[in-house]
Amino acid sequence: MSIDKPEEFDLIILGRGAAAFSAAIKASELTSGQATIAMTGTGPLGGTCVNVGCVPSKYLVEAAKSKIEGERQTYPGIIRGKGSLKFDELMGSLRSAVESERTEKYENVIRNYPNIKVFDGRASFTDPFTVEIINGNGRESIRGFNFLLATGSSPVVPDIPGLADAGFLTSNNIWEINRIPGRLAIIGGGFIALELGQSLQRLGSHVTIIKEHSSISKVMDPEFQMAMINTLQEEGVEFLTGVSVLSVKRTATGKVLTFASGDRKIEREFDEILISRGRKPNVAGLNLEKAGVEFSERGVRTDPYMRTSNERIYAAGDVVDQRYQLETLAAREGSIAVSNIYSPEKMKIELNLIPWAIFTEPQYASVGLTEKMANDMGINCTCRTLKIEDVPKGRILHSHNGLFRIIADPENGKVLGIEILAPYAAEMIMEGVHLIRNGSNLQDLVQTTHVFPTVAEGIKLTAQSFFRDMSKMSCCME
Amino acid sequence: MAERKVRMKIFGMTCDDCVRTVSEGLRSSGASDISIDLKSGMASFIIDDSRTDPDKLQSIPVFSGESHYKGQVRNVD
Ligand SMILES: Cc1cc2nc3c(=O)[nH]c(=O)nc-3n(C[C@H](O)[C@H](O)[C@H](O)COP(=O)(O)OP(=O)(O)OC[C@H]3O[C@@H](n4cnc5c(N)ncnc54)[C@H](O)[C@@H]3O)c2cc1C
């Protein structure tokens, strides 16, 4: 590495994940490929989503689903048997899928942009215009006019005595295993824990989710949380809630966890531990003070234009202090940030229009406000919930533990939020996004004919339930 | 009135015609003494800040709407 005059760039992006790629490509488009862009980070190109996040997790979810669907006795007369599993083969195919996605959508794509130079190493500000890139070969300084902070987030690993010695998995390395853990303890119970927990249970693990709190999320409707927990329990996932893990000890046969439950201490042996206690923004080591960028342990503070407290420096994705950590949000924010750098038309992020999902079965998806969020914000709202059994397609599918909920403005009926727990919820939630984006009200929804019979009809039936007693409606009532 | 010297980075120029178009666009938005280097994309010019707001230079017509030229103010003296 050189000690010459630092190389200069129009835009330096700290990160090589979803936010970074989206920003680098959009900035290239906006400037006809003339902005000189540096992108730096560690690990494989593409960051969390493609390598250790959305892609491998959804691959595992779908594989586990196909196994259970082959075994489940859903309709009388269709005889199915217990399938067998070659876990190492499945995980090998998962890793190949990740590799080909990364090659095609990241490594090959970036080669089309000669204006983007990819660096390898962690970056740290030395002054408001300069970052130092540090890797195994040494240090190199580069200078930029604009910067995008897109350093993502990392799994939170709790400080539990004995945990490091006993060894554990996180969502960073679980994709490397080739033997399915017999007894798996998942410490923490967020979205990743639920998706991986249900999938590994379906593939043959006995999964125990260990949580200090009984809730899955602070914003989800409690009825939805209960229904989701019920589904997982029906499939054999065990929930230990209201307990805290005091210590971990490796034994000849496994890993023994000691928990406190009230005054009692309980010991349980597991074969493997997966830590899933949420993710913390990667702000450490960036030396943001030197760049005049305000941040806290919750992430980098930005305005809705994705600008930080230094007007030349923007941030996008998981590193931002905000309520969601999502691939789509990271990509959108990356694109918004560079549009605001290079275009006169300024764009804002609207978190209310960002849909998100938990890929359990049934899936949970939400957009806009939940009742809890509306209450916390002092917004008046009225809500209705409909059971999947009240939707004709739900009955045909023999679905249960499914729910639809609409949160509306009591004054004008405008849709403020939608929650769905049902098959295809992640696909159906897009209707909710358009309703909120267009400022539609419940009547607009009721007056829109949906295909019969579909699960999506549940959204319309929920809107009807604001005006009618659904138990007195025939199934083809408009 | 105060004369301000502005340096702006222009993206999207590929030939001398582009330089002429951007220069004309800057001139009609109040800039004078314009010099543009096609290779680096750097433009420097003078504005009268009582008539032209340096913060609004990025959104003058030659850089807005369907235009494929983008301008970014780098320095105002
Ligand atoms: C198991 C799992 C499943 C998920 N499933 C979904 C899903 O189904 N749908 C969804 O929308 N989201 C999902 N997510 C979330 C999604 O993956 C993230 O929100 C998204 O990848 C964040 O992108 P990012 O660009 O902000 O950060 P990342 O992709 O994490 O990229 C961060 C980049 O910054 C670099 N970096 C870190 N520190 C430094 C430094 N000091 N200097 C320079 N570079 C640095 C890293 O090397 C990396 O390249 C999932 C996440 C996980 C873990």
Side-chain angles (χ1 to χ4, degrees), chain A residues 16 21 25 39 44-46 50-51 96-116 118:
Chain A
R16 309 195 300 194
F21 265 76
I25 291 171
M39 205 196 241
L45 280 190
V50 67
N51 294 298
S96 305
V98 165
E99 198 184 314
S100 79
E101 198 70 14
R102 180 177 61 237
T103 309
E104 276 171 36
K105 288 286 153 208
Y106 292 88
E107 291 166 0
N108 292 350
V109 164
I110 209 72
R111 290 198 191 103
N112 296 313
Y113 295 89
N115 60 314
I116 303 173
V118 179

Side-chain angles (χ1 to χ4, degrees), chain A residues 277-334:
Chain A
R277 285 274 294 263
R279 296 175 66 83
K280 58 173 191 303
N282 292 329
V283 286
L286 298 176
N287 238 343
L288 293 175
E289 303 83 353
K290 288 245 161 95
V293 171
E294 283 176 19
F295 69 100
S296 71
E297 69 208 7
R298 295 207 320 269
V300 174
R301 263 191 287 285
T302 67
D303 63 16
Y305 303 94
M306 307 319 301
R307 196 148 70 168
T308 70
S309 50
N310 178 332
E311 61 175 18
R312 286 179 301 100
I313 302 182
Y314 289 69
D318 284 8
V319 75
V320 176
D321 180 353
Q322 60 191 351
R323 68 174 186 250
Y324 300 131
Q325 292 177 328
L326 298 169
E327 191 274 345
T328 34
L329 183 60
R332 176 118 196 101
E333 289 178 341

Side-chain angles (χ1 to χ4, degrees), chain A residues 215-348:
Chain A
S215 65
I216 296 171
S217 139
K218 288 191 195 115
V219 296
M220 250 169 103
D221 184 77
E223 203 182 339
F224 281 65
Q225 304 198 30
M226 275 320 299
M228 182 176 279
I229 290 174
N230 279 347
T231 312
L232 267 69
Q233 282 175 330
E234 284 168 14
E235 291 192 16
V237 175
E238 189 184 356
F239 280 81
L240 287 180
T241 55
V243 298
S244 53
V245 182
L246 300 175
S247 64
V248 183
K249 191 171 62 197
R250 188 186 265 285
T251 62
T253 48
K255 300 175 184 187
V256 174
L257 266 62
T258 306
F259 335 101
S261 171
D263 297 340
R264 288 185 313 141
K265 273 192 182 175
I266 307 165
E267 287 200 341
R268 280 270 298 271
E269 191 180 65
F270 295 92
D271 297 306
E272 192 48 276
I273 299 166
L274 170 66
I275 301 292
S276 184
R277 285 274 294 263
R279 296 175 66 83
K280 58 173 191 303
N282 292 329
V283 286
L286 298 176
N287 238 343
L288 293 175
E289 303 83 353
K290 288 245 161 95
V293 171
E294 283 176 19
F295 69 100
S296 71
E297 69 208 7
R298 295 207 320 269
V300 174
R301 263 191 287 285
T302 67
D303 63 16
Y305 303 94
M306 307 319 301
R307 196 148 70 168
T308 70
S309 50
N310 178 332
E311 61 175 18
R312 286 179 301 100
I313 302 182
Y314 289 69
D318 284 8
V319 75
V320 176
D321 180 353
Q322 60 191 351
R323 68 174 186 250
Y324 300 131
Q325 292 177 328
L326 298 169
E327 191 274 345
T328 34
L329 183 60
R332 176 118 196 101
E333 289 178 341
S335 169
I336 287 180
V338 295
S339 296
N340 289 337
I341 292 174
Y342 295 114
S343 278
E345 297 84 19
K346 302 299 173 205
M347 293 169 76
K348 269 192 199 182

